[in-house]
Amino acid sequence: MKDLDRRLWIIFVIQVTEILGFSLILPFLPFYAQEYGASPLVIGLILTVFSLFQFVSAPILGSLSDSYGRRPMLMLSQLSTFVSFVVLGFANSLLWIFISRAIDGLLGSNLTTAQAYISDITQEKDRNRAFNLSSIAFSVGFLIGPAIGGYLSRFGYAVPALVAAGIALISIALTYFYLPETVKDKKRTPFEISELKIFNLSKFTQYLKIEELKIVLWQFFLFSLAHVVWTSNFALYGDRKFGMTADTIGFMLAYVGFINIILRAGVVPKLLDKYSDRSLNIMGIFLIIIGLVIPPFLTVSWSFLIVITILSLGIGISRPVLNGIISKVAPKNEQGAVMGVANSLGSMAQIVGPVFGGWLLSVSFPDSLMLVAAVIMAISLVLVLQEPAKKTDSLGSPR
């Protein structure tokens, strides 16, 4: 148990590293690109190139981890992240900024392999709790990343990029010295050359034919899309709706990270012990929908803290439960591949969401951003309710 806890904490640090690296560059990357003459459209493309490349590579990396082990793939992804931030730190043109994000997206996303590793080292009854720890990693990264990046950029845009590279180097050392392999030779799935296709549609169609898996994969996509639609355009929404300044938006984002840590470390684990997966899934989605339909009735910026609290609780419940259910219905020897497909769907949402949300703000009133996200989540709720309670509950751990 002690060894298990140590491995989970190392995975936690590795995931914090990935989120830190991404969130740390958010405050200064647009200004960095502007120094080389980037337009707002080009800046948007820079912000989405990581997700675009991750969408292509995540299933491949997941399958490779099933065949060659989690540890080599984790180290490869961390090395790629390290290289990408070094390239960003020394970039002297828009081309090199694009290249740095492409390198990180193509090989640097360790989320797929990390989630497969969590599935390897936990029993089904403990898996939701383990994935909740993974969700806390997201919150920690987004709590401290933008603050660190914004502050360090005062000393030059290269400084936060190179600090992010240093953090990636630490995670490489942790993996090398402290993280044992979990995929034994006899359990390894042979890797097919066909899986090196730029877009391996067969993996998606294969898993979308499994009824239980298909439903939760679509739920995961809708959850991710609704989340990205409003979060990626939050700054512009806050400005148009409440007249928020950059400082106010920074405070709101810090509050998001803080409240998520409190909820996921204290409240969510208790809920995971008490309720079934299906009940928690419905509860989380319902809270998210409530949080998204409240903003049209608000008139002052501080009241949006109420919305953030409700949304954080809903997201804090839904994310680990969805990840847990996906891992439970996935074939035992294909955890990495299934997680790869799920994360590719998440990456697809991250590609489409910012553009779709920006379009909504440009052609409609500000609150349409939140209301459309609520409709997307409502569709996800319909998918959950379609499943018979007894059948869906059997996917979860006994409580």
Side-chain angles (χ1 to χ4, degrees), residues 25 62 178 232 349 377 399:
I25 67 174
Y178 298 109
S232 62
M377 286 307 304
R399 287 173 170 87

Side-chain angles (χ1 to χ4, degrees), residues 78-88 100 103 165:
Q78 292 159 357
L79 179 62
S80 181
T81 296
F82 169 75
V83 171
S84 73
F85 287 134
V86 171
V87 170
L88 182 62
S100 73
I103 291 172

Side-chain angles (χ1 to χ4, degrees), residues 36 105 123 144 170 188 198 202 233 280 283 301 332 353 364 387:
Y36 298 106
Q123 298 179 1
I144 60 181
I170 292 172
R188 295 187 178 186
I198 290 179
S202 64
N233 292 278
L280 287 174
M283 184 189 306
S301 60
K332 296 295 183 184
S364 188
E387 282 290 290

Side-chain angles (χ1 to χ4, degrees), residues 375-390:
V375 171
I376 295 172
M377 286 307 304
I379 297 172
S380 178
L381 181 60
V382 170
L383 288 178
V384 179
L385 295 176
Q386 277 183 342
E387 282 290 290
K390 188 174 180 181

Side-chain angles (χ1 to χ4, degrees), residues 280-398:
L280 287 174
N281 208 3
I282 293 172
M283 184 189 306
I285 294 172
F286 187 66
L287 284 170
I288 294 171
I289 293 173
I290 290 176
L292 291 170
V293 298
I294 289 176
F297 303 99
L298 304 180
T299 56
V300 291
S301 60
W302 66 263
S303 60
F304 202 77
L305 293 174
I306 300 171
V307 173
I308 288 177
T309 303
I310 297 172
L311 287 171
S312 296
L313 180 57
I315 293 167
I317 293 171
S318 291
R319 188 186 293 275
V321 168
L322 275 174
N323 283 329
I325 293 176
I326 290 171
S327 74
K328 291 170 189 174
V329 299
K332 296 295 183 184
N333 62 339
E334 298 179 48
Q335 290 282 331
V338 172
M339 288 299 182
V341 169
N343 284 304
S344 279
L345 290 172
S347 296
M348 187 189 299
Q350 290 173 357
I351 295 166
V352 175
V355 178
F356 181 48
W359 176 79
L360 283 173
L361 286 176
S362 65
V363 301
S364 188
F365 58 99
D367 285 315
S368 65
L369 191 72
M370 312 300 286
L371 295 176
V372 169
V375 171
I376 295 172
M377 286 307 304
I379 297 172
S380 178
L381 181 60
V382 170
L383 288 178
V384 179
L385 295 176
Q386 277 183 342
E387 282 290 290
K390 188 174 180 181
K391 183 178 179 181
T392 308
D393 283 345
S394 68
L395 299 177
S397 309

Side-chain angles (χ1 to χ4, degrees), residues 235-244 358 360-364 366:
L236 187 56
Y237 169 78
D239 175 53
R240 293 190 175 188
K241 171 74 175 179
F242 301 109
M244 292 183 187
L360 283 173
L361 286 176
S362 65
V363 301
S364 188

